[in-house]
Amino acid sequence: MRAPFQIGLFAFLSLAACGGTGKASGPMGASGTSSGALTGSSSGASTGEGSAGSGSGASTGGSGGSAAGTAGSSGGAAPSSDASASGQGYTQPPSDASEESAGEDAPLGSDGGAVTASCAGTTHPLCIDFEDGKVDPPWTLSANDTAIETGNAAHGRYALHLSNLASHPTLYLQTEEMPRIKDVLWGRFYLYMNPAAPLGHGDIVRANDMNTNWYEVGFAQPGTLNPANPTTGCYLSDWHTGVNGTPEKGQPSQFVIPAAKYACVEFYFDGATPAVGQVWSDGVEVQFAAPPATPVVQKAVQFVSFAIGITLYHGDSLVNYNNDTPPVLTDEWLDDIALDTTRIGCL
């Protein structure tokens, strides 16, 4: 049984956690509604074992599936993803950001560098660095527990701050306009999770196509959990079928998301080949568990909406998969978000 509930314009339905138990669905399925709300759901399990999650509110049913394969190590020589080879052998280009000095008296970002607008002078179809202190169209932002703030930017002065996460909100910066982007999507953003990423599954990025399928970059417990050496949440890549999101093609990893520090996260969603999503953290490709044989990833044809933020499907605990046992995730910051049809690179 599923017990969906609403938060604002979004609904949690049931999904299944990668490397773990059943999970609740996200708020970002098919797009195109006149209100701007992006809705979607998902159920079933693609990876991991275990019983349905029992977390509060956002956690609903979903039976455990079979293991998705052996997880590669972070930065090890694990087999490469089956995504298009166009993402391989990449040499990072110089920064897109303006290289002009801001002067000795310029305010400093958290990285110690002078204030810089990372979107200035670029031609990315979508780019937002928050340096004007607000969110402009075509982007829209969840109204509650979100703010453009100073004090913890990856670069420059401002970053998007998501707070009050213990209440299990669904908080997103989103757009239903994808100019010049069709069936291939590259992205880059800076991510800061305080004090660390949870073990329970959640998502950070969702990209929806015209057939209501969607790609996800998220977090979950490691593909192989070692009780003697516990760790916090690791990167997760997932692909979902249709509005209900099932079946899905989830892939856990052993690559721990950096704790209480900014990471440059890049992703590649190849909806043309098509292939499962790829992720890089600070320039190192995340090695995911082998994807399950089914479902077969469908061609995207056209990406129609994008959202970045957070949904907590199984609680915010750093030590327990299914609830809110302290310590817990309290805050997330996002900065320097860009989308394009070719790899963007870190600043």
Side-chain angles (χ1 to χ4, degrees):
M1 293 291 294
R2 297 185 296 186
F5 68 98
Q6 291 283 119
I7 297 181
L9 293 174
F10 306 109
F12 290 112
L13 306 177
S14 76
L15 279 157
C18 297
T21 61
K23 72 185 179 186
S25 86
M28 287 287 304
S31 73
T33 59
S34 60
S35 66
L38 307 178
T39 58
S41 61
S42 181
S43 63
S46 60
T47 61
E49 299 179 351
S51 60
S54 58
S56 63
S59 177
T60 58
S63 59
S66 60
T70 303
S73 61
S74 59
S80 62
S81 163
D82 62 356
S84 169
S86 64
Q88 306 298 321
Y90 166 80
T91 301
Q92 184 167 306
S95 166
D96 290 324
S98 170
E99 296 180 1
E100 295 181 0
S101 170
E104 293 182 1
D105 296 328
L108 299 181
S110 63
D111 61 350
V115 168
T116 180
S118 65
C119 296
T122 67
T123 59
H124 305 309
L126 287 164
C127 191
I128 185 167
D129 56 26
F130 309 108
E131 287 309 299
D132 58 0
K134 57 187 175 66
V135 171
D136 294 316
W139 299 97
T140 59
L141 183 62
S142 302
N144 298 320
D145 302 316
T146 61
I148 309 303
E149 295 181 352
T150 61
N152 191 33
H155 304 92
R157 295 190 64 187
Y158 293 96
L160 172 59
H161 182 199
L162 310 180
S163 59
N164 193 29
L165 301 183
S167 64
H168 290 191
T170 295
L171 302 177
Y172 279 112
L173 174 73
Q174 58 190 356
T175 178
E176 292 186 7
E177 297 181 27
M178 304 288 281
R180 306 199 314 274
I181 293 171
K182 291 187 66 64
D183 54 3
V184 170
L185 177 61
W186 284 90
R188 191 266 339 271
F189 63 96
Y190 279 78
L191 171 69
Y192 187 111
M193 305 189 86
N194 186 44
L199 285 180
H201 168 247
D203 72 22
I204 301 168
V205 164
R206 297 178 66 117
N208 303 283
D209 69 22
M210 63 183 295
N211 295 317
T212 68
N213 305 318
W214 78 85
Y215 284 85
E216 173 188 319
V217 176
F219 51 88
Q221 68 183 28
T224 302
L225 188 62
N226 181 359
N229 185 28
T231 186
T232 50
C234 296
Y235 290 103
L236 170 77
S237 176
D238 209 347
W239 181 84
H240 300 266
T241 309
V243 173
N244 291 326
T246 182
E248 62 183 294
K249 205 175 187 77
Q251 299 172 268
S253 77
Q254 300 291 115
F255 200 124
V256 178
I257 296 174
K261 63 178 292 187
Y262 269 106
C264 171
V265 183
E266 300 172 86
F267 59 86
Y268 175 43
F269 299 155
D270 181 4
T273 299
V276 294
Q278 292 175 265
V279 178
W280 290 258
S281 181
D282 291 325
V284 178
E285 184 172 4
V286 176
Q287 300 296 334
F288 292 104
T294 57
V296 176
V297 178
Q298 301 171 20
K299 289 191 175 184
V301 183
Q302 176 70 61
F303 286 107
V304 295
S305 63
F306 175 82
I308 182 168
I310 194 166
T311 292
L312 294 164
Y313 298 123
H314 280 275
D316 52 10
S317 176
L318 309 186
V319 294
N320 185 286
Y321 189 90
N322 282 317
N323 59 37
D324 306 311
T325 304
V328 299
L329 172 70
T330 60
D331 300 87
E332 177 183 292
W333 282 265
L334 296 162
D335 203 359
D336 300 308
I337 302 162
L339 304 180
D340 213 320
T341 57
T342 59
R343 191 166 180 178
I344 300 164
C346 297
L347 297 172

